[in-house]
Amino acid sequence: MPNGLEMKKMQASRGSFASGSRAGNKVVPVVPEIEVENADDEEFQQMLADAGDMPELEFKDDGYIELVLRILGLMCDNQHFGLQNYLREQPDNIKSVNLVAETTKFLNILYSNINANSVALITQVFETLVEFTSGNITNQAVVFDNKVCDYVNHILRVGVYKDCMDEEVYSLKSAIGTLVRCLTEENPKSEDEENQANLAKEVMEYLDTDVLVNTMTEAWKAYEVNVCF
């Protein structure tokens, strides 16, 4: 029969075996070390140069997204309050999708690179947002909360529209102006007057008013030139 010292040794060996078995269930990957000390400097610099020469990524729409946006806007034509609310929330569906918010977020992909391939799509996004927000204080708040003012400020401040015709730029700015008017309109229902007033103030605080005035002034000067000729 083993004595006390031998019993302790046996218990210790069993414990180490059990812990080893549990640890053996996990496989620890071996990460190979990458040696960069002997790398060729000229080759490394060439790789950086090639990476810098990569073409700028552009978002190109074949017309399907623009068509869907136009249909969504036409669904809310003439300030159809019921469909405006339904596009924001579908209580009869298992999963509700806030199309008003998602349409506004879509500008995050487009606003930084406006060119001849994307200007029509961006214009349609703003026109659809106009239909979503006309007379609907809740949708106006959703569009504002998704940083539409930041997108408007950037587009008007930068003023870079690669290979775009003057008519396309005018249509884009006109759609932006119409959306700003919808977000600051002063004819809501009586129970929403206080909320509408607060939203209008916030919109004007976030918008760059100097850029808006300059945009309107440039549009008026262009109009005068066209009238004269």
Side-chain angles (χ1 to χ4, degrees), residues 26-79:
K26 298 181 180 179
V27 179
V28 180
V30 179
V31 180
E33 296 182 357
I34 301 175
E35 297 181 359
V36 295
E37 296 179 356
N38 299 327
D40 190 352
D41 292 339
E42 295 183 359
E43 184 178 357
F44 182 70
Q45 294 297 332
Q46 183 62 36
M47 292 173 62
L48 292 178
D50 294 340
D53 294 338
M54 293 180 63
E56 184 179 0
L57 297 177
E58 295 183 358
F59 185 91
K60 185 177 180 181
D61 176 34
D62 293 330
Y64 300 108
I65 301 178
E66 185 179 348
L67 177 61
V68 170
L69 290 172
R70 185 178 296 112
I71 292 174
L72 291 175
L74 291 175
M75 289 171 63
C76 303
D77 197 17
N78 293 325
Q79 300 185 11

Side-chain angles (χ1 to χ4, degrees), residues 4 8-9 25 51 81 95 97-98 101 110-111 118 121 123 125-126 135 141 144 151 153 186 190 203-204 228:
K8 291 182 180 180
K9 290 182 179 180
N25 293 333
F81 197 72
K95 182 178 180 181
V97 179
N98 191 338
L110 306 171
Y111 80 103
S118 62
L121 178 59
T123 303
V125 172
F126 280 107
F144 174 76
Y151 302 137
N153 287 336
E186 299 179 355
S190 57
V203 170
M204 296 311 300
C228 293

Side-chain angles (χ1 to χ4, degrees), residues 30-191:
V30 179
V31 180
E33 296 182 357
I34 301 175
E35 297 181 359
V36 295
E37 296 179 356
N38 299 327
D40 190 352
D41 292 339
E42 295 183 359
E43 184 178 357
F44 182 70
Q45 294 297 332
Q46 183 62 36
M47 292 173 62
L48 292 178
D50 294 340
D53 294 338
M54 293 180 63
E56 184 179 0
L57 297 177
E58 295 183 358
F59 185 91
K60 185 177 180 181
D61 176 34
D62 293 330
Y64 300 108
I65 301 178
E66 185 179 348
L67 177 61
V68 170
L69 290 172
R70 185 178 296 112
I71 292 174
L72 291 175
L74 291 175
M75 289 171 63
C76 303
D77 197 17
N78 293 325
Q79 300 185 11
H80 195 299
F81 197 72
L83 285 175
Q84 286 176 333
N85 292 333
Y86 190 78
L87 291 178
R88 184 185 69 253
E89 182 180 7
Q90 303 86 42
D92 56 339
N93 286 352
I94 298 177
K95 182 178 180 181
S96 180
V97 179
N98 191 338
L99 293 175
V100 179
E102 294 300 326
T103 303
T104 310
K105 293 177 183 178
F106 188 51
L107 287 172
N108 189 41
I109 306 175
L110 306 171
Y111 80 103
S112 61
N113 186 21
I114 302 178
N115 51 51
N117 294 327
S118 62
V119 63
L121 178 59
I122 300 175
T123 303
Q124 184 58 56
V125 172
F126 280 107
E127 291 177 350
T128 301
L129 292 178
V130 168
E131 299 296 340
F132 286 169
T133 57
S134 296
N136 193 308
I137 178 63
T138 306
N139 285 358
Q140 292 169 8
V142 171
V143 172
F144 174 76
D145 291 339
N146 283 276
K147 303 180 180 180
V148 71
C149 292
D150 293 341
Y151 302 137
V152 170
N153 287 336
H154 179 85
I155 293 174
L156 297 182
R157 284 172 183 167
V158 175
V160 177
Y161 314 101
K162 300 177 183 178
D163 302 325
C164 296
M165 296 184 296
D166 293 339
E167 293 81 1
E168 294 174 330
V169 176
Y170 173 81
S171 298
L172 173 60
K173 293 182 177 180
S174 177
I176 291 175
T178 306
L179 178 61
V180 172
R181 186 187 65 186
C182 289
L183 296 177
T184 57
E185 59 187 357
E186 299 179 355
N187 58 344
K189 296 180 180 179
S190 57
E191 61 269 17

